[in-house]
Amino acid sequence: MAKFNKKKDGGLPPVNTAALPDIVFMLLFFFMVATVMRENTLKIANILPLANQVEKLDKKNPISYIYIGKPSDNYASKFGTEARIQLNDDFADVSEIVPFINQERAALREELVPFITVSLKVDKKSNMGIVGDVKQELRKANALKINYTTGTGDVSANAE
């Protein structure tokens, strides 16, 4: 006749971790969707002028941005109140534009280099002299495709 042994008390059962991968991937997906990737931190005041005939740039071609405007309140004490140039995340002089364009070209694939467009984001209260200087440097760098970024709206609002 068979003898039945009584099970001894084994303590607490192990924690069920079957749902753990689902929770991890759900959190990962949430943060991927909710996170905004910002390319540059603006250190200048950049209120764009308005235009009524605006054309959207094709995202297939590479775009390099040059920001021009007065330093924002956080940087006004260090850099003054005159219009400045910002390349990526740093203030720059006009003489630094040619190396910046060459660096942007070097980062691209060879077949995309002829299609690079330089987009100027100029504050509407900036002096046009600095824009002319930037355009002269872009000519020296042979960056001839220039775009002015504007907002959409009534042009008469620019006079204010």
Side-chain angles (χ1 to χ4, degrees):
M1 192 157 149
K3 210 175 196 185
F4 294 100
N5 292 335
K6 195 175 188 186
K7 270 191 174 180
K8 295 183 180 176
D9 188 21
L12 293 174
V15 176
N16 186 4
T17 59
L20 189 62
D22 294 337
I23 294 169
V24 169
F25 283 115
M26 187 171 52
L27 285 172
L28 177 67
F29 183 73
F30 171 77
F31 285 115
M32 285 174 45
V33 171
T35 302
V36 176
M37 301 300 270
R38 184 168 208 155
E39 290 183 17
N40 294 323
T41 303
L42 282 182
K43 296 180 179 180
I44 61 169
N46 198 265
I47 301 170
L48 298 175
L50 300 177
N52 56 9
Q53 296 180 3
V54 179
E55 190 175 316
K56 191 168 177 110
L57 277 178
D58 189 14
K59 287 288 187 185
K60 295 176 189 170
N61 295 336
I63 302 170
S64 296
Y65 293 100
I66 297 177
Y67 302 95
I68 302 173
K70 294 181 181 179
S72 63
D73 295 335
N74 299 342
Y75 300 98
S77 62
K78 186 175 180 183
F79 295 103
T81 58
E82 288 297 315
R84 301 280 311 224
I85 301 169
Q86 181 181 340
L87 304 174
N88 289 335
D89 283 336
D90 295 321
F91 287 113
D93 292 325
V94 177
S95 61
E96 297 177 37
I97 291 176
V98 174
F100 169 73
I101 295 298
N102 292 335
Q103 177 186 1
E104 293 285 312
R105 283 187 179 140
L108 292 175
R109 294 192 317 252
E110 189 68 33
E111 63 268 10
L112 293 177
V113 170
F115 301 109
I116 190 168
T117 302
V118 177
S119 182
L120 299 177
K121 291 191 172 189
V122 183
D123 186 54
K124 70 179 182 179
K125 294 183 180 179
S126 293
N127 189 349
M128 202 56 196
I130 194 168
V131 177
D133 294 341
V134 168
K135 287 173 58 177
Q136 289 295 335
E137 290 295 313
L138 289 173
R139 285 186 193 124
K140 290 179 187 175
N142 200 24
L144 304 176
K145 291 176 82 176
I146 300 174
N147 171 49
Y148 291 97
T149 304
T150 65
T152 306
D154 186 20
V155 179
S156 61
N158 291 331
E160 296 173 359

